[in-house]
Amino acid sequence: MSDHPELDGYEPMRDKPLRSPHLQMVMRVVVVLALVGLILPGIIVTWTTASATATRTCGTYAGVFAPTAEATSVRFELFGPEGPGWNCYVREFGGAESLLRALGLIPGAAIVPSGELGNS
């Protein structure tokens, strides 16, 4: 006899899981899709905002520091000259491309000096 007579004859089901393997797989897929649905839009908005800011900042720097440049180019580089981040490149008339400025991991507004840019 057991301490609980109301449970006599009761055998717990130890062999069967609470949910079928098919239902577990469906639940895992739903959870992964939900996480992707929450995280991916934030990544896309952050990337788009950083790219647009870097493009505007690069254009401002090119107008001030390289007014004769033919074109500007902004790229995100993991192994750039100053580590990972956005870099502003200018293409000169002959086609040579050079780094104008490293904009950093999170680009901000351009900070240009006031007054003349000549040697002081």
Side-chain angles (χ1 to χ4, degrees):
M1 286 256 145
S2 69
D3 294 337
H4 301 285
E6 66 274 2
L7 296 178
D8 284 343
Y10 171 75
E11 291 186 27
M13 298 172 60
R14 296 180 188 187
D15 296 337
K16 288 178 89 178
L18 292 176
R19 293 177 181 87
S20 70
H22 177 71
L23 182 59
Q24 287 178 342
M25 180 59 76
V26 169
M27 288 172 58
R28 286 182 183 143
V29 168
V30 168
V31 167
V32 168
L33 289 176
L35 286 174
V36 168
L38 288 171
I39 294 171
L40 191 60
I43 292 171
I44 291 171
V45 167
T46 302
W47 184 268
T48 304
T49 303
S51 175
T53 302
T55 301
R56 285 191 304 271
T57 301
C58 184
T60 301
Y61 281 136
V64 173
F65 297 112
T68 61
E70 194 173 83
T72 62
S73 171
V74 176
R75 288 180 238 149
F76 182 84
E77 298 175 341
L78 287 176
F79 303 104
E82 293 187 15
W86 294 90
N87 294 312
C88 175
Y89 292 92
V90 292
R91 190 174 68 225
E92 300 297 332
F93 181 69
E97 189 174 74
S98 60
L99 175 67
L100 179 63
R101 199 135 181 179
L103 303 175
L105 193 57
I106 301 172
I111 300 171
V112 294
S114 59
E116 282 193 35
L117 294 178
N119 294 335
S120 358

